[in-house]
Amino acid sequence: MRKYWRLMKPGIVMGNLISAIGGYFYASGSAVVTLSTFLGMVAGVVGIVGGACVLNNIIDRDIDAKMSRTCTRSMVTGDITVPAAFVFGTALVLGGLVGLWIFTNPTAVYLGIFGVFIYVCVYSLWTKRQSVYGTAVGSLSGSVPLIVGYVAVSGVIDIRVVFLFVIFAVWQMPHSYGIALFRFDDYKYAGIHVLPVVKGYMATRVSITVHTALFFILMFAFAMVGFLHWLPALVCLILAGRWLYTALVKYDTMAVEQWGKSIFFQSIFISVAFSLSIGFNGMIHGIL
């Protein structure tokens, strides 16, 4: 069972679940929520994200075999067969969608289907291997759990959730490029068409800087239009400002790999803080 659990990429599942919970509680500030809806959303997100990761493991087993970080995965070593993994991944996705359908609403289900399709079919099967824009495509699927959490409560796609979707999609660009920088040799050897491999360090630096700046601007706008209380907004803007400072200034004082690692790990902290902040925003709605 441990091998199957690792096949789900639990770190990715947990990160996406945190953002989904943040979206859920953000929407809960103006709606009535129930424990069954919350648990159904959690189970649904774990199912669709974990299942999509299992299917990604099947598709990427040739790439994973070439990378030191992933060469011991069960799909590479043969500890789990392709048919068994396919059944497991498909069951997880279907189970997650059924959970969303029963306990939340059809809109959340449709968004879940969209996220799985983009990640498995468009990203994993196509753009990751053939296009430098694969990271941008992957950012779309990576933003889905947050809006599934929001829509599980609201039942609608409104301007707030569109704003959140864009913010999170922009966040994922430096996040992904950061790990590609300090794992550059693995990505190059595996032939993955990510920006540092295809365009080089300077193009990646420019892209990271532009996207961190855009993230800061979007966060500021999100707060200014009244979608975020000043307290969680302040936390997010301080962290986003530090991230931008690292992108703009620290590159010249750090080795490229070290700079990429700093961008990456800061992005993880920002993601968790952002998710907690919007969730807190929903809980204090109408109180402060």
Side-chain angles (χ1 to χ4, degrees):
M1 290 303 297
R2 183 179 299 177
K3 293 176 182 178
Y4 280 93
W5 168 243
R6 284 163 49 188
L7 202 62
M8 294 170 59
K9 300 183 181 179
I12 292 178
V13 171
M14 183 57 66
N16 281 279
L17 182 58
I18 290 172
S19 67
I21 291 174
Y24 181 92
F25 282 107
Y26 179 70
S28 71
S30 56
V32 177
V33 298
T34 63
L35 181 60
S36 62
T37 301
F38 176 73
L39 294 179
M41 182 279 295
V42 169
V45 169
V46 170
I48 61 175
V49 174
C53 286
V54 172
L55 297 176
N56 170 263
N57 267 317
I58 297 173
I59 296 167
D60 280 357
R61 62 191 187 278
D62 60 327
I63 294 175
D64 288 343
K66 300 176 182 178
M67 302 173 68
S68 60
R69 179 173 60 93
T70 58
C71 64
T72 59
R73 286 178 175 171
S74 296
M75 295 307 304
V76 176
T77 61
D79 290 341
I80 299 176
T81 65
V82 171
F86 181 78
V87 170
F88 179 56
T90 303
L92 283 172
V93 171
L94 293 177
L97 293 174
V98 169
L100 291 176
W101 183 273
I102 294 174
F103 295 104
T104 63
N105 54 70
T107 305
V109 176
Y110 302 145
L111 288 170
I113 294 172
F114 169 78
V116 173
F117 174 77
I118 293 295
Y119 183 65
V120 175
C121 299
V122 183
Y123 173 71
S124 299
L125 283 173
W126 179 28
T127 56
K128 180 178 181 178
R129 295 167 178 265
Q130 300 184 26
S131 174
V132 71
Y133 299 108
T135 304
V137 173
S139 73
L140 299 180
S141 60
S143 302
V144 167
L146 184 149
I147 61 174
V148 167
Y150 182 97
V151 170
V153 177
S154 69
V156 297
I157 298 175
D158 56 23
I159 185 61
R160 291 174 184 262
V161 77
V162 171
F163 219 137
L164 286 172
F165 180 83
V166 173
I167 289 173
F168 212 65
V170 168
W171 164 85
Q172 288 188 80
M173 300 299 287
H175 168 79
S176 299
Y177 289 151
I179 191 172
L181 283 175
F182 76 85
R183 297 286 188 182
F184 179 83
D185 291 339
D186 269 354
Y187 278 74
K188 184 177 181 180
Y189 183 68
I192 300 174
H193 283 65
V194 72
L195 188 65
V197 174
V198 177
K199 299 288 186 177
Y201 290 136
M202 289 310 298
T204 307
R205 178 189 182 185
V206 170
S207 183
I208 287 177
T209 303
V210 168
H211 282 97
T212 51
L214 183 56
F215 179 81
F216 182 87
I217 293 169
L218 287 170
M219 281 301 314
F220 183 79
F222 192 67
M224 288 300 99
V225 297
F227 290 165
L228 199 59
H229 188 271
W230 71 266
L231 184 58
L234 182 62
V235 172
C236 290
L237 287 172
I238 290 174
L239 293 174
R242 178 175 175 79
W243 202 28
L244 178 58
Y245 174 78
T246 300
L248 281 171
V249 179
K250 289 294 186 178
Y251 182 90
D252 294 321
T253 63
M254 303 170 73
V256 172
E257 293 79 6
Q258 185 184 9
W259 181 75
K261 187 175 293 188
S262 179
I263 290 290
F264 172 72
F265 284 108
Q266 282 189 59
S267 73
I268 295 176
F269 188 77
I270 288 171
S271 173
V272 173
F274 175 60
S275 299
L276 293 176
S277 294
I278 62 173
F280 177 70
N281 184 91
M283 289 188 286
I284 64 173
H285 180 79
I287 299 176
L288 298 179

